[in-house]
Amino acid sequence: MGIRFILMVNKQGQTRLAQYYEYLTLEERRTLEGEIVRKCLARNEQQCSFVEHRTYKIVYRRYASLFFLVGVDNEENELAILEFIHLLVETMDRHFGNVCELDIMFHLEKAHFMLEEMFHKAL
Amino acid sequence: MALSGMRGLSVFISDVRNCRNKEQERLRVDKELGNIRTRFKNEKVGNIGGREFAESLAPDVQKLLISSSCRPLVRKKAALCLLRLFRKNPDILNIDGWSDRMSQLLDERDLGVLTSSMSLFVALVSNNHEAYWSCLPKCVKVMERLARNQDIPQEYTYYGIPSPWLQVKTMRALQYFPTVEDPSIRRALFEVLQRILMGTDVVKNVNKNNASHAVLFEALALVMHLDSEKEMMSQCVALLGKFIAVREPNIRYLGLENMTRMLMVTDVHEIIKRHQAQIITSLKDPDISIRRRSLDLLYGMCDVSNAKDIVEELLQYLATADFAMREELALKAAILAEKFAPDLSWYVDVILQLIDKAGDFVSDDIWFRVVQFVTNNEDLQPYAALKAREYLDKPAIHETMVKVSAYLLGEYSHLLARRPGCSPKEIFGIIHEKLPTVSTPTIPILLTTYAKILMHSQPPDPELQNQIWAVYSKYESCIDAEIQQRAVEYFALSRKGEALMDILAEMPKFPERQSSLIKKAEDTEADTAELSAIKLRTQQQTSNALVLTDQRPANGAPQVSQLGMVMVPSTSNADQNAVDQRVTQSNGTLSVVDPQPLAQDHAPAGDILGDLLSPLAIEGPPGVSPQSEFNGVPSHEGSVGANDALALAPVGDQESTVKPIGDIAERFQALCLKDSGVLYEDPYVQIGIKAEWRGHQGRMVLFLGNKNTAPLDSVQAVILPPSHLKLDISLVPEIIPPRAQVQCPLEVVNLRPSRDVAVLDFSYKFGTHLVNNKLRLPAVLNKFLQPIQVSAEEFFPQWRSLPGPPLKLQEVVRGVRPMPLGEMANLFNSLKLMVCPGLDPNPCNLVASTTFYSENTRAMLCLIRIETDPADRTQLRMTVASGDPTLTFELKEFIKENLVSIPTAGKPPAPVAQQPQPNNQPIASSDPGALLAGLL
């Protein structure tokens, strides 16, 4: 059933926002995030936006210093997710005006609201 | 979005301001509150409610969704709320008439509500499409509307594309229906698909490109699913062919992935083969995601015609591939070589190259498999031996290569005897060169090879013989038991001359088996998979090249591999199976037999067991021979002080309905005489024990295994040690995940002699059921004994130096279980009391000695003398002597317990004379184990 988690991570590897749609313990989350961040951040622009990890497929996109990572299962349209990330960023940009990492850090609740609303409606 | 929210607020404020009186104001406020409530209610119900909640509230939410008077926002929320409720409890929507309502919902004009409804619909059809056939035409209508861009408001287009996400979702829903029967609907759908396939162009804008290709790939998937129309199919292949050649990495990745999927649905091998060169280029792409996809595709498209090319390509790539992929590559190359080998010599070539290039990544299974093939195909043997010989000439070769070539040359080098450089002596020379460089597990293989070489050189060459014997005598005292045993045995065997030929004859053919490699491939899948229980829920993975080729066991038990956690055997059948397997393995030279297929013949339990606790299960369940009965004093004798601890029969089982499998007392007794086995088993749990004893210390490992597919809760294992033992148990996790096993190491220190027994208070919860068992732990007196052989010169001075009570105690024991003297000697030996024959001139007597270890007494020699009466075997006179009064007493009682006849369950004989001496019981009431026993 599609999306498993959404992460926003900066290029230092710090998680700025995380939403999980299945239960993982904190410990499991931390390990998972660490593994994913190590894998994705090491990639360059010429490489594709999909990384396979465990049973997940990570669809990610980088905007300036922030990585948006979405974990999906095999039953998901990767490009649709990729564009969903962009739609999310456009929406945040419209709201915050020139959105940056700090906007998300200091308005975490708004970022969560937006994510929740959009995630439910679009996907 | 935020702005529109503000607009609502300002409208509300101005409405309130415009109200002419209080009544109107109140009405307006109430209306707003109503709005807030409905919104709030939907989200809250979906987010927090449990299963019962879902049941009771679902009808209300359904009403909201269908009601045409509600605002679209509320209906959107209602649809999503229902989706959540449905995921919690699918029954809420399995009601009459719901499919009609769903069908109506798909007529919705408002795209927001439609999108939410479509999400709900996808979940419904993925669960059961049968009820929703009537919705299929509606989905096609939605697709038509979107594809033609009819009646699509501006806010639902994304870069000019009408809601790409709704398109994707609708096509996803359609893929849950097996076919589209109605010709007119089918035609309409294919028209839309055709439009998408043909009308999607590459544009400059990345986002538009992505969105349109998202739709395109979904359309491809739908065409693949509906298949049949060959015309569309070839169009798809052509498109994919284009995609795998583009520079844009995302499209290339998806092209490769979808091509692999396509291989599985239809027979398009021939068309895809045309792109082979292109796919091989992608195998060398700098991006690992793309490399993986192309490896999968190559693996999937491989058949007899192109196997040679593909495998050679893989081999070539192996040398430069990164480490993350090497193992997978090696495995896949090995499987392909095995499956599609045009001839067997090529197969041998490939595997040897594989070992040569990536020895570290070649598992034992791979070379076992070569050995099997060569053994089973006589034509292949000289060739394989020759190849092995050639590889040995290389200056540095991988250890696996040493193993396989040593094995092959040992068996078949005589077939090469006439070639230059292949005389037995030369073969021995070149293999022996490698000996100093190899690790312990390889040495036994080399020793076997030497024995085989020796056997084949007939008449024996004295010089070679001496060389080999020299090797054997060097390893005769090797610390590794396997090496030592082989060295000793081969040395002895090789002196048998001609008879050697029979003993060391060529290995017989292996029974034909399913390849263990293919199974291995499946295991790696499982390994790389998740580490959490979530995996169990998400087992229904989609196709992947590896999954396609393997045949999972019919009932495909979920497999989890996790660090520190292993599976639990679930049937005694499996146990038996493990025994077989182990026997084959430990049979020395036979170690080449790969155990996996054996296990595979049986249920999944078998292969679960395969890797795991075989040593445990081996010595586990088999019945206990009568002579090993031990300590089984029935519980009603518990009132007799000294026997308190022994009276600790398992208790929990009367109260709980969970019945243990097998007799707990019997299992305990068996474990008193050996160091590993099953301590307790019931339908949910198995507890195994493995122990090691050294002097007065010991280390036990408890294996707590959950046999179920549900986790075990509230697991508690508390040890109640008697005062003479120091027991430290490591932390036991509260929850044992499904079909997992946790290991709890346990350190034991023996402080002083005592026959009291430690008790494990083990409880867990299964469902609402609390199961509690008190289990005796086999840390008994004889575990701290060390048999010692004493000569007459040592024995008698000792014996005499211990004059009488309390150091030397004598007792006439009656009610002894009648047994021949030989059997009694065996019993003593199994209790680690070493019988010293010949010390007592009277053949009816028995003398034994042993060393007892505890922290207080240190190592202490104990001497035992038994005088039997040939006329009456039920009585005997026993004398026990040691340097410590407590030890003497405890040991005497201990032996007595093992000699007196033990009643079968519940029917005790006349009570045996037991005269506990209170002064010799220093433990008494402070001992929790004993206290507990008293309570029971």
Side-chain angles (χ1 to χ4, degrees):
Chain A
M1 36 160 264
I3 299 183
R4 299 307 179 81
F5 57 83
I6 298 175
L7 301 174
M8 294 181 198
V9 180
N10 69 8
K11 69 178 181 209
Q12 280 83 40
Q14 293 158 311
T15 305
R16 290 301 181 206
L17 182 151
Q19 270 200 11
Y20 285 83
Y21 300 96
E22 62 189 0
Y23 179 73
L24 291 178
T25 63
L26 273 182
E27 189 51 45
E28 285 171 321
R29 288 183 188 196
R30 209 165 45 229
T31 335
L32 181 69
E33 284 168 24
E35 290 165 357
I36 290 173
V37 165
R38 268 195 297 284
K39 265 193 184 173
C40 292
L41 268 55
R43 296 168 64 86
N44 64 31
E45 293 284 317
Q46 280 79 53
Q47 300 183 329
C48 69
S49 312
F50 317 119
V51 177
E52 288 151 37
H53 182 71
R54 302 198 196 163
T55 54
Y56 302 111
K57 191 175 276 181
I58 317 296
V59 180
Y60 75 96
R61 223 166 159 163
R62 179 181 174 170
Y63 292 88
S65 64
L66 205 58
F67 285 79
F68 289 71
L69 306 135
V70 181
V72 298
D73 59 18
N74 270 317
E75 292 293 316
E76 196 50 73
N77 187 314
E78 294 89 346
L79 285 175
I81 300 291
L82 197 63
E83 273 326 287
F84 167 69
I85 297 177
H86 186 71
L87 182 64
L88 175 69
V89 175
E90 276 192 8
T91 313
M92 287 187 165
D93 202 53
R94 181 104 44 103
H95 178 79
F96 292 111
N98 229 343
V99 65
C100 66
E101 194 184 330
L102 283 182
D103 289 325
I104 295 173
M105 278 170 70
F106 291 126
H107 303 280
L108 198 58
E109 78 295 350
K110 284 188 186 166
H112 270 288
F113 282 147
M114 273 184 238
L115 195 57
E116 211 130 73
E117 288 284 316
M118 292 184 60
F119 167 62
H120 279 148
K121 278 172 205 157
L123 299 156
Chain B
M1 191 166 44
L3 290 176
S4 68
M6 297 299 274
R7 196 167 61 229
L9 182 62
S10 51
V11 168
F12 174 61
I13 293 171
S14 70
D15 279 357
V16 173
R17 282 191 180 144
N18 291 340
C19 287
R20 259 172 277 155
N21 53 36
K22 203 175 173 185
E23 205 45 40
Q24 271 185 346
E25 223 170 74
R26 173 170 302 164
L27 277 174
R28 183 63 187 91
V29 171
D30 281 349
K31 188 182 160 202
E32 195 60 33
L33 284 176
N35 285 340
I36 293 168
R37 268 197 300 273
T38 41
R39 266 200 75 167
F40 173 70
K41 178 168 151 193
N42 283 337
E43 294 205 335
K44 182 182 159 232
V45 169
N47 284 331
I48 326 177
R51 205 183 154 89
E52 289 83 17
F53 216 57
E55 241 162 61
S56 57
L57 284 173
D60 291 337
V61 185
Q62 285 170 22
K63 261 181 226 143
L64 282 175
L65 174 58
I66 299 158
S67 130
S68 53
S69 61
C70 273
R71 293 158 61 196
L73 176 69
V74 174
R75 298 180 57 208
K76 261 194 271 191
K77 290 274 171 195
L80 295 170
C81 176
L82 268 188
L83 171 59
R84 289 203 159 200
L85 296 180
F86 174 75
R87 282 185 185 148
K88 279 194 183 117
N89 177 4
D91 294 336
I92 59 156
L93 288 178
N94 287 344
I95 47 171
D96 286 343
W98 180 253
S99 60
D100 295 337
R101 283 177 221 168
M102 195 67 234
S103 166
Q104 277 167 30
L105 277 173
L106 295 178
D107 282 332
E108 179 63 44
R109 300 316 295 172
D110 184 291
L111 277 188
V113 179
L114 186 58
T115 309
S116 306
S117 307
M118 195 59 84
S119 295
L120 175 61
F121 182 62
V122 171
L124 290 172
V125 284
S126 68
N127 186 44
N128 165 27
H129 68 271
E130 283 298 337
Y132 296 98
W133 279 105
S134 62
C135 298
L136 194 145
K138 301 290 172 67
C139 291
V140 177
K141 282 235 170 60
V142 172
M143 277 315 290
E144 281 183 300
R145 178 181 164 196
L146 291 166
R148 297 203 179 116
N149 205 347
Q150 290 167 336
D151 181 24
I152 308 292
Q154 181 60 33
E155 64 262 34
Y156 283 99
T157 56
Y158 182 78
Y159 289 90
I161 302 164
S163 184
W165 294 284
L166 180 55
Q167 293 196 43
V168 166
K169 213 180 291 226
T170 312
M171 287 191 275
R172 182 51 56 92
L174 285 169
Q175 285 172 56
Y176 285 108
F177 292 97
T179 57
V180 180
E181 302 268 346
D182 187 322
S184 65
I185 294 171
R186 189 186 168 87
R187 209 177 314 118
L189 179 60
F190 273 82
E191 207 174 287
V192 175
L193 291 174
Q194 184 76 32
R195 188 194 287 253
I196 297 172
L197 291 189
M198 300 312 290
T200 308
D201 294 319
V202 179
V203 291
K204 246 193 169 154
N205 183 307
V206 185
N207 300 312
K208 181 166 184 179
N209 217 20
N210 281 341
S212 63
H213 279 82
V215 175
L216 175 59
F217 275 110
E218 204 60 52
L220 275 173
L222 184 55
V223 172
M224 278 190 239
H225 175 71
L226 297 172
D227 188 20
S228 66
E229 300 242 327
K230 282 289 169 198
E231 189 199 347
M232 287 273 261
M233 210 54 172
S234 57
Q235 241 176 345
C236 291
V237 183
L239 262 177
L240 289 175
K242 213 172 78 191
F243 290 156
I244 62 170
V246 298
R247 283 243 323 276
E248 217 281 296
N250 287 345
I251 304 291
R252 189 139 48 96
Y253 173 93
L254 292 171
L256 291 166
E257 182 177 43
N258 282 286
M259 219 176 222
T260 314
R261 282 195 184 155
M262 184 166 262
L263 274 175
M264 284 159 211
V265 288
T266 50
D267 181 31
V268 284
H269 275 73
E270 289 312 312
I271 317 176
I272 290 179
K273 269 190 216 164
R274 284 184 228 142
H275 303 286
Q276 193 169 316
Q278 187 61 49
I279 300 166
I280 287 175
T281 323
S282 284
L283 187 64
K284 292 156 190 165
D285 194 275
D287 182 350
I288 189 167
S289 298
I290 291 181
R291 287 201 300 271
R292 274 190 198 282
R293 285 298 115 228
S294 59
L295 175 60
D296 253 14
L297 179 53
L298 282 174
Y299 180 80
M301 68 191 275
C302 193
D303 62 19
V304 184
S305 72
N306 58 7
K308 249 181 154 151
D309 293 339
I310 290 183
V311 171
E312 262 147 41
E313 203 57 57
L314 294 183
L315 282 176
Q316 205 194 334
Y317 172 50
L318 192 59
T320 53
D322 44 356
F323 288 93
M325 270 180 84
R326 281 199 193 180
E327 185 163 7
E328 196 185 348
L329 250 172
L331 186 63
K332 284 190 168 161
I335 293 174
L336 290 179
E338 182 183 329
K339 264 167 80 179
F340 301 116
D343 57 276
L344 289 169
S345 55
W346 177 77
Y347 170 71
V348 173
D349 280 349
V350 168
I351 303 297
L352 292 181
Q353 275 190 55
L354 206 60
I355 297 173
D356 189 34
K357 285 187 169 148
D360 284 337
F361 300 94
V362 174
S363 60
D364 280 349
D365 302 305
I366 294 180
W367 79 264
F368 288 177
R369 195 70 185 153
V370 177
V371 166
Q372 282 182 29
F373 259 92
V374 174
T375 310
N376 290 2
N377 293 282
E378 274 170 41
D379 313 342
L380 205 54
Q381 291 162 359
Y383 180 78
L386 188 62
K387 275 280 161 189
R389 173 74 185 76
E390 282 171 15
Y391 273 105
L392 281 180
D393 277 337
K394 286 193 158 197
I397 58 173
H398 192 270
E399 188 163 338
T400 307
M401 186 63 92
V402 177
K403 287 185 194 168
V404 68
S405 27
Y407 187 93
L408 290 173
L409 287 174
E411 291 290 334
Y412 308 115
S413 63
H414 60 283
L415 302 173
L416 305 176
R418 284 191 211 101
R419 289 173 194 264
C422 294
S423 70
K425 214 164 164 181
E426 282 160 309
I427 299 269
F428 168 74
I430 195 157
I431 295 176
H432 193 52
E433 242 171 54
K434 313 287 180 206
L435 185 72
T437 63
V438 298
S439 61
T440 317
T442 310
I443 296 176
I445 298 175
L446 298 190
L447 295 184
T448 308
T449 304
Y450 300 163
K452 295 255 176 181
I453 292 176
L454 204 56
M455 179 268 288
H456 282 304
S457 56
Q458 295 293 349
D461 170 351
E463 197 189 327
L464 178 65
Q465 206 169 34
N466 285 335
Q467 276 178 329
I468 293 179
W469 283 352
V471 178
Y472 287 152
S473 56
K474 179 182 156 205
Y475 282 108
E476 248 171 17
S477 53
C478 178
I479 190 152
D480 183 276
E482 179 70 33
I483 298 176
Q484 188 186 32
Q485 186 181 1
R486 288 202 195 197
V488 171
E489 286 176 4
Y490 290 148
F491 184 66
L493 284 174
S494 61
R495 287 172 177 264
K496 289 200 181 299
E498 290 290 312
L500 190 62
M501 295 286 266
D502 296 329
I503 300 165
L504 286 174
E506 203 168 286
M507 290 291 287
K509 289 190 175 180
F510 291 90
E512 274 308 323
R513 295 186 171 125
Q514 198 200 332
S515 169
S516 63
L517 293 185
I518 292 174
K519 186 175 167 324
K520 175 93 191 302
E522 163 190 350
D523 287 351
T524 24
E525 287 270 293
D527 279 348
T528 50
E530 261 165 286
L531 294 170
S532 71
I534 293 157
K535 162 122 190 299
L536 298 174
R537 284 185 260 136
T538 57
Q539 270 296 312
Q540 47 353 352
Q541 268 191 29
T542 42
S543 47
N544 174 312
L546 282 178
V547 178
L548 183 75
T549 51
D550 64 44
Q551 275 110 40
R552 273 174 191 276
N555 47 351
Q559 304 189 337
V560 186
S561 302
Q562 195 168 347
L563 290 174
M565 292 205 165
V566 277
M567 304 296 183
V568 188
S570 55
T571 60
S572 55
N573 181 10
D575 290 355
Q576 196 49 49
N577 193 355
V579 179
D580 297 343
Q581 188 178 317
R582 185 65 185 181
V583 167
T584 8
Q585 280 195 318
S586 53
N587 237 350
T589 42
L590 279 175
S591 61
V592 166
V593 179
D594 59 336
Q596 291 178 336
L598 231 179
Q600 211 174 24
D601 297 341
H602 297 265
D607 64 33
I608 285 170
L609 193 78
D611 340 46
L612 313 161
L613 67 173
S614 20
L616 227 188
I618 298 170
E619 296 157 54
V624 185
S625 61
Q627 65 165 12
S628 63
E629 298 229 353
F630 177 68
N631 263 358
V633 181
S635 54
H636 69 265
E637 281 188 11
S639 52
V640 187
N643 277 337
D644 270 358
L646 301 178
L648 254 187
V651 198
D653 51 348
Q654 291 109 308
E655 288 105 46
S656 66
T657 53
V658 179
K659 288 269 177 287
I661 300 169
D663 183 6
I664 296 178
E666 250 174 49
R667 288 186 191 277
F668 169 74
Q669 282 150 24
L671 280 170
C672 288
L673 297 180
K674 59 188 189 180
D675 286 337
S676 62
V678 177
L679 178 70
Y680 171 81
E681 185 167 6
D682 69 24
Y684 306 121
V685 177
Q686 189 191 49
I687 305 177
I689 278 198
K690 256 182 106 162
E692 280 178 321
W693 305 97
R694 192 154 298 153
H696 69 284
Q697 290 173 330
R699 187 183 152 80
M700 271 187 179
V701 184
L702 294 177
F703 296 82
L704 308 176
N706 178 358
K707 293 159 66 174
N708 274 275
T709 48
L712 282 187
D713 288 338
S714 319
V715 177
Q716 276 191 335
V718 181
I719 304 256
L720 309 166
S723 62
H724 74 287
L725 290 180
K726 217 160 77 189
L727 280 162
D728 281 326
I729 190 165
S730 58
L731 204 62
V732 178
E734 201 171 324
I735 294 173
I736 305 180
R739 305 194 71 78
Q741 192 184 56
V742 291
Q743 302 184 2
C744 308
L746 183 63
E747 304 290 341
V748 187
V749 179
N750 187 24
L751 301 175
R752 58 178 166 272
S754 166
R755 283 166 302 134
D756 290 337
V757 184
V759 172
L760 172 70
D761 186 354
F762 178 76
S763 62
Y764 66 90
K765 225 178 182 165
F766 188 81
T768 54
H769 210 86
L770 185 73
V771 184
N772 184 308
N773 274 298
K774 306 229 170 13
L775 304 162
R776 286 177 289 173
L777 284 177
V780 287
L781 190 108
N782 65 323
K783 300 286 181 187
F784 304 103
L785 295 178
Q786 200 58 250
I788 183 172
Q789 182 89 47
V790 178
S791 65
E793 295 84 61
E794 293 163 307
F795 186 90
F796 291 110
Q798 281 284 342
W799 188 255
R800 270 179 234 118
S801 72
L802 302 165
L807 295 181
K808 189 194 258 172
L809 294 171
Q810 194 167 69
E811 184 180 337
V812 175
V813 184
R814 297 197 172 77
V816 173
R817 187 152 42 100
M819 60 180 114
L821 209 60
E823 195 184 307
M824 191 180 289
N826 284 339
L827 172 63
F828 272 58
N829 282 328
S830 70
L831 294 173
K832 299 196 197 166
L833 307 168
M834 184 165 245
V835 176
C836 312
L839 284 189
D840 199 311
N842 186 343
C844 294
N845 293 355
L846 207 75
V847 171
S849 60
T850 190
T851 323
F852 175 80
Y853 290 85
S854 74
E855 207 169 82
N856 280 7
T857 60
R858 306 277 159 188
M860 185 155 287
L861 186 70
C862 311
L863 306 170
I864 302 119
R865 182 168 185 234
I866 305 283
E867 293 154 281
T868 61
D869 178 1
D872 181 3
R873 290 219 162 272
T874 61
Q875 63 173 358
L876 51 77
R877 189 164 74 178
M878 171 162 69
T879 317
V880 177
S882 82
D884 180 271
T886 322
L887 174 59
T888 307
F889 174 76
E890 291 290 330
L891 187 62
K892 185 193 72 163
E893 291 300 314
F894 176 79
I895 297 171
K896 197 165 75 183
E897 279 157 12
N898 281 282
L899 286 176
V900 296
S901 57
I902 293 163
T904 46
K907 286 269 174 199
V912 178
Q914 302 255 356
Q915 288 164 330
Q917 303 180 355
N919 55 335
N920 276 333
Q921 289 287 313
I923 349 150
S925 58
S926 63
D927 179 346
L931 270 180
L932 184 89
L935 290 175
L936 296 171

